[in-house]
């Protein structure tokens, strides 16, 4: 899906290598839908490779800085990843009265661990990623997360998250789903299913525990790909479920997350701000109480669509975002 092309500077694609006589203008292009592509200029290609599970690339982009791409899908970009990771991490931890230990499903780049470790209450973070090559790659190239990887509270485990949760007795205050998007042939889609949530994940939460997951594109047209059915699937398993979203410039779309718990998730903006001041080291760049309240106030169209969603995510009835994984 993700491709690099060279042009002569007027937008005409000449080839995938710069021919003689043409200015070396290098672009990254990602096919978002069959008839829709998103592209931006590159300074350079820092690294490309492939693991057992997925293709890996690190690009130095002109508009978004360093960008991590897995299986042709942009995962995060240097200039705006803080929006995604603050939204993923802080609402769950702030709604918990005293989070001490957290399990991350995925999160190999280290940014989710970085945000978790800003919380003063945290004693232990387990980051479980199936792809050791991605983890080692990010340790080497993503300097912004260097301190997180060296924090004594972080335990990095290379394993399938389902197997790791099932194989250990430990329970957690918060479990974070920072998995790659569910794409056909990708390594993660089975970890978005009702059976996984109900039989594996929920039993590993302590009383009052909270689960949060990234839930794919959540735009006015794109939310029906997976966001709405992930939300509906979690409604079958947990008593309280809160969907929310934010614009991520490098994704060229609104992105969605879902909070889920059997305890109420109803803190006010003021209560969230108080907990942020008490618990989090340094101020967030994006998220505060009012921002979260705004993010969880979805548009009429998306709200109605989620309320009317009936699809439940199972292995036999999986939904995927556009694209194909390495093993498709």
């Amino acid at each position: 899906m993700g491709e690099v092309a060279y042009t002569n500077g007027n937008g005409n694609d000449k080839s995938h290598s710069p021919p003689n006589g043409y200015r070396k203008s290098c672009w990254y292009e990602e096919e978002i839908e069959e008839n829709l592509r998103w592209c931006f200029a590159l300074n350079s290609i820092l690294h490309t490779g492939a693991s057992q599970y997925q293709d890996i690339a690190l690009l130095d982009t002109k508009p978004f800085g360093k960008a991590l791409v897995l299986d042709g899908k942009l995962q995060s970009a240097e200039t705006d990843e803080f929006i995604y990771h603050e939204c993923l991490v802080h609402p769950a931890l702030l709604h918990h009265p005293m989070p001490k230990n957290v399990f991350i499903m995925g999160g190999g780049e280290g940014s989710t661990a970085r945000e978790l470790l800003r919380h003063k209450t945290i004693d232990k973070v387990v980051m479980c990623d199936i792809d050791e090559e991605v983890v080692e790659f990010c340790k080497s190239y993503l300097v912004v997360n260097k301190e997180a990887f060296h924090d004594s509270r972080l335990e990095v485990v290379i394993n399938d998250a389902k197997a790791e949760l099932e194989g250990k007795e430990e329970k957690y205050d918060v479990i974070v789903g920072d998995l790659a998007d569910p794409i056909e042939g990708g390594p993660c889609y089975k970890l978005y299913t009702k059976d996984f949530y109900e039989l594996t994940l929920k039993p590993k939460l302590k009383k009052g525990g909270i689960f949060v997951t990234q839930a794919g594109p959540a735009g006015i047209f794109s939310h029906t790909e997976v966001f709405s059915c992930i939300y509906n699937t979690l409604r079958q398993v947990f008593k309280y479920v809160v969907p929310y979203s934010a614009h991520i410039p490098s994704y060229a779309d609104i992105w969605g997350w879902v909070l889920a718990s059997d305890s109420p998730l109803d803190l006010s903006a003021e209560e969230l701000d108080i907990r942020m001041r008490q618990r989090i080291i340094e101020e967030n760049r994006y998220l505060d109480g009012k921002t979260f309240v705004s993010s969880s106030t979805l548009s009429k169209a998306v709200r109605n669509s989620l309320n009317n969603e009936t699809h439940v995510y199972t292995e036999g009835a999986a939904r995927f975002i556009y694209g194909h994984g390495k093993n498709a």
Side-chain angles (χ1 to χ4, degrees), residues 267-278:
L267 292 181
S268 68
E270 292 75 17
E271 289 170 314
L272 289 168
D273 284 336
I274 289 169
R275 290 190 176 185
M276 286 184 199
R277 289 194 295 269
Q278 291 173 339

Side-chain angles (χ1 to χ4, degrees), residues 166-183:
E166 290 176 343
K168 299 291 177 65
E169 296 297 323
E170 188 171 6
K171 294 189 176 184
Y172 300 90
D173 294 314
V174 176
I175 296 177
V176 179
D178 187 19
L179 300 165
D181 300 321
I183 60 175

Side-chain angles (χ1 to χ4, degrees), residues 130-204:
I130 197 171
D131 199 330
E132 185 172 14
E133 289 188 47
V134 168
V135 174
E136 293 302 318
F137 175 86
C138 293
K139 279 184 182 180
S140 299
Y141 285 96
L142 301 184
V143 179
V144 68
N145 297 328
K146 184 177 181 179
E147 286 187 18
F149 277 116
H150 286 89
D151 194 303
S152 61
R153 294 172 293 169
L154 177 65
E155 177 185 347
V156 178
V157 176
I158 305 302
N159 197 2
D160 173 74
K162 181 175 185 291
E164 185 67 19
L165 287 169
E166 290 176 343
K168 299 291 177 65
E169 296 297 323
E170 188 171 6
K171 294 189 176 184
Y172 300 90
D173 294 314
V174 176
I175 296 177
V176 179
D178 187 19
L179 300 165
D181 300 321
I183 60 175
E184 192 170 3
C188 298
Y189 77 91
K190 295 179 182 179
L191 303 185
Y192 290 94
T193 63
K194 180 176 182 287
D195 279 354
F196 172 70
Y197 292 148
E198 190 169 44
L199 303 177
T200 299
L201 186 146
K202 189 175 180 180
K204 294 302 179 179

Side-chain angles (χ1 to χ4, degrees), residues 213-237:
T213 183
Q214 80 92 6
I220 191 71
F221 300 121
S222 60
H223 72 275
T224 56
E225 288 184 287
V226 294
F227 182 54
S228 59
C229 70
I230 291 172
Y231 165 72
N232 185 58
T233 301
L234 286 167
R235 284 200 299 178
Q236 315 306 308
V237 178

